Amino acid sequence: MFQINDNYQKLPGSYLFSTIAKKVAAFTAANPDKTIIRLGIGDVTQPLAPAILAAMHKAVDEMGCAETFHGYAPDLGYDFLRRAIAENDYRARGCDIEEDEIFVSDGAKSDSANIQEIFAAESRIAVCDPVYPVYVDSNAMAGRTGTYDKETERWSNVIYMPCTAENGFVPEFPEETPDLIYLCLPNNPTGTTFTKSKLQEWVDYANRVGAVILYDGAYEAYISEPDVAHSIYECSGAKTCAIELKSFSKNAGFTGVRLGYAVVPKELKCGDVSLRNMWARRHGTKFNGAPYIVQRAGEAVYSREGKAQLKEQVAYYMKNAAAIKEGLKKSGYTVFGGVNAPYIWLKTPSGTTSWEFFDRLLENANVVGTPGAGFGPSGEGYFRLTAFGSYENTLAALERIQKM
Ligand code: MLT
């Protein structure tokens, strides 16, 4: 008789954003006359930039012609894209990353869920709390997180590092020593980040204790302050302790196009085993490459026109972030984030849990947000709004919230 992977049975509920989507669908079915504004999942709303569209059209035409047709992509990514990434995201910033340390994928969600596979089953993971739920869920599926306690909403074998207003959303080094440390900076969901010198302390810590930092830089394009690192490899010693995961979803609107990459430096080793070679082996076996058309679109992100157009797109979303932040402040809310990231993290009115606030917002303002508790126990009492809506919808949502 076959057996299932029992770890799946331990997972509480459904994936956070699926739960929200179900709740919103039920509300919409019961209230078909209401117009819902969605500031929940961090999904972009602006169309693809013209430079990207042009590159995609050209690539589509190439696919229609025998001489320029492309079949399977190289499993680790086309050279043209890996070169553009190495040059623009790393060497231009003084980070010595080579093309063959870059692995093109279909997005940072899959990479951040899959990367745990190359580590031992008994590895101890440490996560910021609150945190993007994929890190913990994927480790739970792999059987690494122990048992889930419904009361405390904690896994027995996860090191939670609380990030709250009290510590400025910067965690302390954990008391127990982790093997893997997930850092998402700028942070999803709090919208806050660390200074470069604080990040350097984490790199030094990881090297000292022999841990690997799994660094999710999906929101890097939104950094506006000068003392914030754009890559963990700006910190000295990061190449011996960090894997960086990047996405084209938030900087270039690829949520529906799908493209990302992982950087696994050659210096990152366990004894004399290279993690770069392990990831190459895994990627080659389990992934058949992002589509040619999509990788050409990714290349256009780094063109002169692409860069200029995407700068405008980021500025558009950050104008929304500023409007939400200021508007909520005026209405008496305590708000965080929204300066180096497209997320606003607000404190729910006292005595209101984050799921109660979700219901109240949906029912009274017909606005969808994300309850902080969905990102971990320390997210209770907080709520996330995304700046990825249209400007008009953002202002309309704000007005509705202010009237509540
Ligand atoms: C979020 O809303 O946290 C993200 O959009 C989810 C994702 O990027 O997968």
Side-chain angles (χ1 to χ4, degrees):
M1 177 66 186
F2 69 87
Q3 302 286 315
I4 54 162
N5 176 353
D6 255 344
N7 298 316
Y8 278 65
Q9 302 305 101
K10 299 181 196 161
L11 290 164
S14 54
Y15 180 58
L16 172 62
F17 294 104
S18 314
T19 307
I20 291 173
K22 275 185 220 143
K23 276 180 170 270
V24 176
F27 180 81
T28 315
N31 301 275
D33 53 319
K34 304 273 197 248
T35 316
I36 308 278
I37 301 180
R38 291 164 200 271
L39 303 182
I41 192 163
D43 196 2
V44 293
T45 52
Q46 291 299 294
L48 293 174
I52 294 166
L53 266 193
M56 284 179 107
H57 280 300
K58 184 166 175 279
V60 167
D61 288 341
E62 286 178 53
M63 295 295 278
C65 176
E67 287 71 36
T68 49
F69 171 78
H70 286 78
Y72 288 128
D75 50 14
L76 307 185
Y78 280 105
D79 285 345
F80 62 77
L81 181 57
R82 297 167 95 194
R83 206 175 310 123
I85 293 168
E87 196 48 55
N88 290 278
D89 286 348
Y90 296 102
R91 294 202 276 267
R93 295 194 175 119
C95 306
D96 176 24
I97 294 294
E98 292 175 35
E99 282 81 334
D100 63 358
E101 295 171 304
I102 295 166
F103 300 85
V104 175
S105 72
D106 65 347
K109 183 179 187 178
S110 351
D111 281 345
S112 63
N114 293 331
I115 195 75
Q116 46 77 28
E117 278 186 30
I118 62 169
F119 297 98
E122 55 276 16
S123 305
R124 211 59 215 289
I125 71 159
V127 292
C128 291
D129 170 26
V131 73
Y132 181 45
V134 171
Y135 312 149
V136 174
D137 283 7
S138 56
N139 277 284
M141 290 168 179
R144 212 174 265 121
T145 54
T147 48
Y148 186 74
D149 181 338
K150 280 205 184 85
E151 290 303 308
T152 61
E153 298 183 339
R154 282 178 164 76
W155 291 91
S156 61
N157 201 29
V158 170
I159 301 171
Y160 291 91
M161 305 186 293
C163 297
T164 58
E166 287 68 39
N167 61 15
F169 302 98
V170 178
E172 308 290 328
F173 295 132
E175 277 167 24
E176 299 163 81
T177 305
D179 300 303
L180 305 175
I181 304 165
Y182 285 85
L183 291 181
C184 173
L185 297 171
N187 187 256
N188 176 16
T190 66
T192 58
T193 195
F194 298 2
T195 58
K196 184 173 166 186
S197 56
K198 181 50 77 178
L199 184 61
Q200 181 67 58
E201 287 176 27
W202 277 86
V203 168
D204 295 342
Y205 168 79
N207 275 321
R208 199 165 59 241
V209 302
V212 172
I213 297 177
L214 302 168
Y215 187 83
D216 183 346
Y219 299 93
E220 173 271 317
Y222 292 84
I223 294 172
S224 67
E225 293 182 319
D227 61 345
V228 178
H230 286 254
S231 161
I232 195 164
Y233 303 115
E234 287 177 40
C235 297
S236 62
K239 284 167 71 176
T240 54
C241 70
I243 291 175
E244 182 161 293
L245 311 174
K246 292 289 293 283
S247 163
F248 286 75
S249 289
K250 320 289 170 163
N251 65 327
F254 278 32
T255 53
V257 175
R258 307 310 308 151
L259 191 66
Y261 66 85
V263 178
V264 191
K266 288 179 200 136
E267 283 97 321
L268 186 53
K269 289 190 170 159
C270 182
D272 56 6
V273 177
S274 152
L275 271 67
R276 185 235 162 253
N277 292 350
M278 287 179 73
W279 189 242
R281 183 71 176 82
R282 188 260 170 218
H283 216 52
T285 303
K286 295 199 177 184
F287 185 63
N288 236 347
Y292 174 73
I293 298 162
V294 172
Q295 294 199 47
R296 280 294 183 200
E299 183 189 27
V301 166
Y302 299 103
S303 67
R304 205 161 43 84
E305 300 77 16
K307 281 182 189 167
Q309 291 160 7
L310 293 176
K311 205 168 154 196
E312 272 178 36
Q313 217 170 69
V314 165
Y316 176 95
Y317 292 131
M318 288 312 272
K319 188 171 149 199
N320 291 348
I324 301 173
K325 194 163 182 177
E326 284 319 303
L328 290 179
K329 256 195 217 164
K330 270 197 204 129
S331 307
Y333 286 92
T334 306
V335 283
F336 305 94
V339 174
N340 294 296
Y343 292 128
I344 309 297
W345 189 241
L346 58 111
K347 262 191 168 309
T348 54
S350 68
T352 319
T353 69
S354 59
W355 278 107
E356 280 165 2
F357 191 70
F358 172 88
D359 290 334
R360 192 191 290 182
L361 210 62
L362 182 60
E363 279 155 30
N364 302 330
N366 308 145
V367 171
V368 182
T370 311
F375 297 101
S378 297
E380 185 52 278
Y382 291 90
F383 197 78
R384 192 191 79 176
L385 290 173
T386 157
F388 284 125
S390 69
Y391 186 58
E392 297 69 30
N393 274 348
T394 300
L395 295 188
L398 200 55
E399 208 183 304
R400 292 187 195 176
I401 297 171
Q402 283 166 332
K403 278 198 198 133
M404 240 172 50

